[in-house]
Amino acid sequence: MPIDPYILLLLGTVGLATLVPARGTGAEVASGASTAAIAFLFFLYGARLSTREAMAGVKHWRLHVTVLACTFVLFPLLGLAARGLVPVFLTHPLYQGLLFLTLVPSTIQSSIAFTSMARGNVPAAICAGSFSSLVGIVLTPLLAAAVLGSGAGGFSADSLLQIVLQLLVPFVAGQLLRRWIGGFVTRHKKVLGLVDRGSILLVVYTAFSEGMVQGIWHQVSPARLAGLLVVEAVLLAVMLLVTWYGAKALRFGREDRIAIQFAGSKKSLAAGLPMASVLFGAHASLAVLPLMLFHQMQLMVCAVIAKRRARDPLPEVSPSAPAEASRTAVGTGTRSG
């Protein structure tokens, strides 16, 4: 099973923060740069989202409602149910990180990649991931404030306002300026992708530097990490099964079920890390640890599933299927990034 090279970079960044954490003036500079990087990251997200793709995806509303329900209803309910695992499997800080993980929006890039690999409905995966990210900018901090409370890192009206100013405002600005900069963003997608990832690495370094100052590694033992991995493996397995068989019960076709499974069972590291940095502040290092582990786990497992789905025999096409397929595949041919 593949190990995402970017995960190795993330782990290397954690190691760097462990050995050489930012302190004093360096910490202030890193924090300011991290804040600017987060705003720029969401500005790029806004500039990349094609309004045409979004409007086309609205026509397949049942699929998107299903993905949103899995992401922001079922996932959080499972996270709340995991409260019973404290303190046997999880410490309270690790549980709060796990609970935050369940509130994060779905991925975009990997959902598209795996859906394409498995011969699923790629346009639906594009729209589902985009809608989830957009909704999550507002819904994730609201859910976090509701289920985590003030003890998780200082949730308040000011922190929610900060989320809006730092994440939603740049996103909307990117959308408004897309008419003029959309072509540039498309032409330089690879370079700006490096900016994306570099921004996230900076967020990770800042968060874990603060964690080192707070003594994070004295709070997490190997046994607790093992317990966290087991819990996350069960969580992922449940969501993969529910999204696949639940979509079947709702009478979605094979291609739509694939899009629902990959978009509805995954969580976005790119969106979750900046949000955790804003919401948890100095406590962000423990909050993002479960998300980082879950991210790699979902990539490994979904890669195997996608390859197996690609070998599945395609169903017989009925005479009325082409017309229906043309309706559900609206947006085919648009760019996927």
Side-chain angles (χ1 to χ4, degrees):
M1 290 186 290
I3 296 180
D4 185 0
Y6 189 54
I7 289 294
L8 298 179
L9 286 175
L10 286 169
L11 294 176
T13 303
V14 172
L16 178 63
T18 301
L19 297 174
V20 191
R23 300 176 183 270
T25 303
E28 294 178 2
V29 172
S31 178
S34 176
T35 299
I38 291 170
F40 185 61
L41 186 68
F42 277 81
F43 174 80
L44 290 179
Y45 287 162
R48 285 174 182 159
L49 178 59
S50 168
T51 305
R52 181 175 59 181
E53 289 174 356
M55 295 307 297
V58 172
K59 298 179 181 178
H60 208 1
W61 63 269
R62 285 184 65 244
L63 184 147
H64 303 310
V65 169
T66 301
V67 171
L68 291 174
C70 291
T71 303
F72 296 112
V73 178
L74 183 56
F75 249 120
L77 289 176
L78 292 174
L80 290 171
R83 178 66 179 84
L85 301 176
V86 180
V88 178
F89 281 93
L90 303 172
T91 62
H92 186 66
L94 284 180
Y95 167 68
Q96 291 204 318
L98 178 72
L99 186 54
F100 173 73
L101 147 71
T102 65
L103 309 178
V104 170
S106 180
T107 61
I108 300 177
Q109 290 91 343
S110 59
S111 294
I112 295 168
F114 290 135
T115 299
S116 176
M117 186 187 304
R119 298 182 300 179
N121 189 337
V122 174
I126 294 172
C127 294
S130 300
F131 291 160
S132 179
S133 295
L134 180 57
V135 171
I137 292 176
V138 177
L139 194 56
T140 294
L142 292 177
L143 289 173
V147 304
L148 290 172
S150 60
F155 288 115
S156 63
D158 289 340
S159 65
L160 296 180
L161 178 61
Q162 187 179 359
I163 282 285
V164 171
L165 293 177
Q166 194 170 344
L167 306 184
L168 183 58
V169 171
F171 184 93
V172 173
Q175 272 284 284
L176 294 176
L177 294 175
R178 176 178 167 75
R179 176 179 177 183
W180 294 278
I181 66 174
F184 177 85
V185 170
T186 301
R187 290 192 302 273
H188 298 84
K189 183 169 61 176
K190 291 185 178 181
V191 175
L192 292 177
L194 296 177
V195 174
D196 278 3
R197 297 192 163 205
S199 300
I200 294 171
L201 291 176
L202 180 58
V203 172
V204 169
Y205 176 75
T206 303
F208 276 88
S209 290
E210 293 176 347
M212 279 302 298
V213 175
Q214 303 263 339
I216 176 178
W217 297 120
H218 297 292
Q219 305 174 41
V220 184
S221 66
R224 293 298 189 184
L225 280 177
L228 175 63
L229 287 172
V230 171
V231 172
E232 291 192 337
V234 172
L235 176 64
L236 178 60
V238 169
M239 289 305 303
L240 287 169
L241 290 171
V242 169
T243 50
W244 182 252
Y245 291 105
K248 181 179 181 181
L250 293 173
R251 299 185 178 181
F252 283 100
R254 177 189 177 277
E255 293 186 353
D256 289 346
R257 289 171 66 192
I258 289 172
I260 290 171
Q261 183 178 50
F262 289 129
S265 65
K266 303 224 294 303
K267 291 295 184 175
S268 172
L269 186 69
L273 285 177
M275 290 183 185
S277 178
V278 173
L279 292 171
F280 289 88
H283 305 279
S285 51
L286 275 180
V288 302
L289 185 60
L291 180 59
M292 289 175 60
L293 295 175
F294 189 83
H295 181 265
Q296 176 58 33
M297 187 182 298
Q298 71 187 12
L299 290 181
M300 295 169 68
V301 174
C302 289
V304 174
I305 293 175
K307 290 177 181 178
R308 291 186 177 181
R309 294 265 184 261
R311 295 195 294 266
D312 290 344
L314 293 176
E316 294 288 335
V317 180
S318 63
S320 60
E324 178 65 21
S326 65
R327 288 194 296 270
T328 60
V330 171
T332 301
T334 58
R335 63 182 185 86
S336 60

